[in-house]
Every structure is written in C-alpha cells, then in structure tokens.
Amino acid sequence: MEKLILEDYALADVLGDDAKLEAFVRKAAVGVWHASCTCRMGAADDPMAVNTGRVRGIAGLRVVDASIFPVVPRANTNFPTMMTAEKIADAILDGR
C-alpha cells in the first residue's frame, strides 16, 4: 500500500495530519468518466435521435455502445453495454 497507493506519503502521516491527508487526496483523487449518453435516443420522427442504434442519414451505420444510453448506469458500464450490443445484434439479425 505504501508503494503503490500512497507513493510519496506515509500512512501514519496521512492518518495523523489533516494537511497531509488533504494534500494526498488532492494529488491522488481523479475523476473517472464512463463515456456514455452522447447519442440521443428517441422517437422515429426525431432526426437527432438514434433508434435501435441506427444513425440516421448514414445507411448501414449503427451505434452499439454506451453512448446510446439515456442515463449513466449506476454501475460499471460493461455489462449494460454488452446487453445493449446483444439486443441490437438480435434486431439486425431479425432485419429490423
């Protein structure tokens, strides 16, 4: 833990000194963003929306990733993305 997580800080120092703890958190904390919700889902008559992953105006192109989610899932995006891809793959195979 000392080498991999705390790097330049000692655990005893971080736990015993609020200023060192704050400095550690400011240095170590990073945002992790799951890219999602960038392609709007919507009705068939909405020209800006994707429907079953289809990108309107570009024949044969579908979006099959987390960008078509209406909201960010409250968990890892991996499983919902795989389920979405399977659902759209089924639609493609069914000719939809």
Side-chain angles (χ1 to χ4, degrees):
M1 184 167 150
E2 295 278 339
K3 281 185 171 184
L4 298 175
I5 297 173
L6 294 173
E7 295 178 359
D8 299 331
Y9 297 87
L11 183 59
D13 291 342
V14 170
L15 294 177
D17 184 327
D18 286 347
K20 287 182 181 176
L21 175 60
E22 182 177 346
F24 166 71
V25 170
R26 287 186 183 277
K27 178 182 177 191
V30 296
V32 178
W33 299 93
H34 292 286
S36 60
C37 311
T38 57
C39 293
R40 185 164 78 194
M41 294 176 64
D45 62 347
D46 182 349
M48 298 301 290
V50 296
N51 188 342
T52 319
R54 292 182 193 274
V55 177
R56 294 198 179 99
I58 304 176
L61 180 63
R62 294 191 193 225
V63 176
V64 186
D65 61 20
S67 66
I68 67 172
F69 294 170
V71 295
V72 179
R74 294 180 124 173
N76 187 302
T77 57
N78 187 44
F79 290 123
T81 301
M82 289 190 301
M83 293 185 318
T84 300
E86 287 183 15
K87 187 81 172 167
I88 292 176
D90 288 343
I92 292 168
L93 292 174
D94 290 342
R96 291 183 273 141

